[in-house]
Each structure stands twice: as C-alpha cells, then as structure tokens.
Amino acid sequence: MLAAYVETIHAEDPLRGLVVGERPEPEERAGWSVLPVVAAGLNHHDLWSLRGVGLGEDALPMILGCDGVAEHPELGEVVVYPVVTGTPGWSGDSTLDPRRSLLSEHHQGTLAEYVRVPEGAWVPRPEHLDAVEAAALSTAWLTAYRMLFVRADVRPGDTVLVQGAAGGVATALIQLGAAAGLTVWVTGREAGKRGRALQLGADAAFEPGERLPRRVDAVLESVGAATWSHSVKALRPGGTIVICGATSGDAPERAELTTIFFKQLRVLGSTMGTLEELAALCRFVSQRRIRPVVEARFPLERAGEALERLYRGDVVGKLGITVR
C-alpha cells in the first residue's frame, strides 16, 4: 500500500528522512481493526517525528499521521481516535496513562491506504463535514476542545486569549470559542494571519506581547517561551493558563512565579482528549455547523509537498490529505 513514512531521522533536516512509497498492509490482530483510510491531516507532530522527537530508530520505518477518517464496514466513515493506551488493563482517562502513545509513535499512522486501530477507537463522521474536514477533528480540534471546555472550564461570556493565530489548534480554539459564546482574543506576528483570525470569529487580534484592553479569564498557550510572560501578565487574578505545547521552547527567560502565586493563577497542562471528548466534539460541531479550516488538500502521493509547506509555516488552519 502507498504510505508516507519516516525511513531515517534527521533532526536538523527533517524532510530528508521522509519517503512516500510502498509499505506492507497492516495485518489483522486481536482487539484491533484494519480500516481503509479515506482522508488524513497533517500536524506539527509529524515534523517532530521526522526529527526523532518521541520516535526512536528502533521503531523505523514508521508511517506518519495522527488524523484520520476511515471507512468502517458497518458505520460508514468514522473519525479515528489516535490515542492508544499502553498500560495493560488501563480503564481511566486515556490521556493520563503514563504509557499512552499516539498513532505514528509506537503504532503505524494514518498517512497510508490502511490503518490498524484499537477496536472501537472511532466516532461517526459528522454528516455536514467531508472526510478531509472531519479528519481535522482527530488531533488539533480534540486538543482545543479539551483545553477550552475541560481544562480551562470557561463559560459563555468569558474572555480567552489564544497565543498564536494561525495553527491548527489555534484556529480550532477560535472557532470553538466563538461558537460557545466566548470573547476570543488572539495574538499573531503577521497582519494577514491576524486578519484571518478575525474572519474566523476572533473578537480582537493583537501583536505578540501587546498590552491588552483588560485582563482575560483564560489563556490558551501553545507557543511557550516566547509568549509565557505575556500570558501570565494577561490573566485576571485567579485566571487560568492551559498549555498544550511549547513550539518556541519550554524554558522561558522568566518563570513569573511571584505573579503566579500572588495572583493565585492556575497553570494546567493539557494533552489530546478522551474518546468521549471526541464524541462530544463531533456533536458540538454538528450542532453549531462548524467547519474546520482546511487551507489546502493534497493527494497521498503528494504528502511530501504538503509536509514541506507545513515545515515552512505557510499555513492557516489545516492541510488535508486525500487517500480515497
């Protein structure tokens, strides 16, 4: 079968180790299902994998891809849930399993004609979305949903700040937050991307580090070191920062500990979401008729071109991959 996979790891030149070519089809396995992939999507996780972050040489070759919509023989098209528990008998929140992984870490990913997933690790595709749009829900949108509605625990009328205006998680936060009745502010380095955020439903857009009109109830943080001090200073007393990543690095110049304890701020980590949260996300986007932003679509055989575009950072929203 055709697949996009990591053949060798190159930390400084990640695309050098990418191959789009033939791989064996996954074999049947007890407790797992092999499904034909209809569509997939790209995430920065794929670039980190190509750099060898969370992926060792002993796991190669590894098919990339966390996002996916697959064809189920009875249910039709389903959104793939990409979190795989690794602790035998684990029955709690899958995101808290210390041995959890995502597809494309220990198990082959979705950028292929077939994928093997744990039995039941799927949710029916929202009917108003096509397969490429629905694939976006697997990772970035699930991450955003948990950040907003589980970890930040915000309510309609609250004001949230999204650090970074253009990526898959950021655009999901904007669209979900606006649909939920939140006041959504964003930051972004480029005027064009700030303008696009406003079109997606953000109420205001600011340059990074810019002084805000007032303090916010929650900050949704994925940038890391470059925006950390601004995130802390932007919060009202008792407010919450929810962190899902640190693309600019995880060691800010100032930890801002005095501000955090004096203002009694909450700092919460957030990673992906549960299968139940994926189902709730699909219901929410169906009820509100939300469509994830897919900036461009590429057939699987052009996955290398798509990953190169993601690597350049020339993206607002998601890049989709069509398989069937």
Side-chain angles (χ1 to χ4, degrees):
M1 67 175 183
L2 185 65
Y5 61 95
V6 186
E7 184 174 58
T8 55
I9 290 172
H10 301 275
E12 301 302 321
D13 185 12
L15 296 179
R16 182 179 167 191
L18 173 70
V19 175
V20 179
E22 291 296 314
R23 293 295 302 150
E25 291 185 13
E27 298 178 357
E28 296 290 341
R29 174 178 166 185
W32 294 64
S33 294
V34 175
L35 302 176
V37 178
V38 179
L42 301 186
N43 294 282
H44 281 280
H45 183 277
D46 301 312
L47 295 176
W48 288 116
S49 295
L50 285 160
R51 290 186 173 98
V53 178
L55 183 64
E57 296 276 0
D58 58 340
L60 302 182
M62 175 60 71
I63 298 172
L64 294 167
C66 307
D67 293 348
V69 165
E71 183 70 33
H72 189 278
E74 299 171 358
L75 301 175
E77 291 184 0
V78 295
V79 180
V80 171
Y81 178 61
V83 180
V84 183
T85 57
T87 301
W90 186 271
S91 60
D93 183 332
S94 55
T95 69
L96 298 178
D97 177 6
R99 296 178 63 185
R100 72 185 182 277
S101 65
L102 293 178
L103 293 177
S104 76
E105 292 178 347
H106 300 305
H107 307 279
Q108 303 293 327
T110 57
L111 291 183
E113 293 182 293
Y114 293 90
V115 65
R116 184 172 62 198
V117 298
E119 187 66 34
W122 51 68
V123 173
R125 172 180 59 80
E127 293 184 359
H128 74 293
L129 301 182
D130 65 32
V132 172
E133 293 169 328
L137 303 178
S138 289
T139 303
W141 277 68
L142 178 57
T143 298
Y145 183 90
R146 184 179 180 89
M147 290 177 75
L148 271 176
F149 304 126
V150 179
R151 302 299 278 159
D153 195 26
V154 288
R155 299 288 186 269
D158 286 350
T159 300
V160 300
L161 174 66
V162 178
Q163 294 284 22
V169 172
T171 54
L173 286 166
I174 293 166
Q175 291 183 264
L176 289 171
L182 302 172
T183 297
V184 181
W185 294 349
V186 303
T187 64
R189 289 176 297 176
E190 299 177 21
K193 291 181 177 179
R194 294 195 298 271
R196 183 71 173 118
L198 294 173
Q199 293 173 358
L200 291 174
D203 296 278
F206 306 91
E207 293 186 6
E210 184 177 344
R211 185 179 179 88
L212 304 180
R214 64 178 186 274
R215 308 293 184 184
V216 302
D217 298 290
V219 177
L220 294 315
E221 173 67 81
S222 63
V223 179
T227 55
W228 179 251
S229 288
H230 186 248
S231 293
V232 173
K233 294 172 183 176
L235 280 174
R236 63 163 174 78
T240 304
I241 298 177
V242 181
I243 310 168
C244 74
T247 56
S248 66
D250 62 1
E253 183 177 339
R254 292 175 56 86
E256 306 291 353
L257 296 181
T258 301
T259 303
I260 290 170
F261 76 70
F262 187 76
K263 293 174 65 177
Q264 299 187 71
L265 306 180
R266 296 193 308 157
V267 179
L268 301 176
S270 190
T271 299
M272 289 296 292
T274 66
L275 179 61
E276 293 75 19
E277 288 160 6
L278 178 60
L281 166 64
C282 289
R283 290 194 299 270
F284 186 75
V285 299
S286 294
Q287 292 164 358
R288 304 302 173 93
R289 312 300 287 181
I290 306 170
R291 307 190 80 97
V293 176
V294 178
E295 180 162 290
R297 301 166 185 236
F298 298 80
L300 179 59
E301 56 266 27
R302 291 173 57 201
E305 182 182 340
L307 282 160
E308 182 177 358
R309 181 164 174 176
L310 183 66
Y311 180 65
R312 293 198 310 265
D314 184 23
V315 181
V316 174
K318 296 285 292 184
L319 295 177
I321 302 294
T322 56
V323 181
R324 284 179 170 77

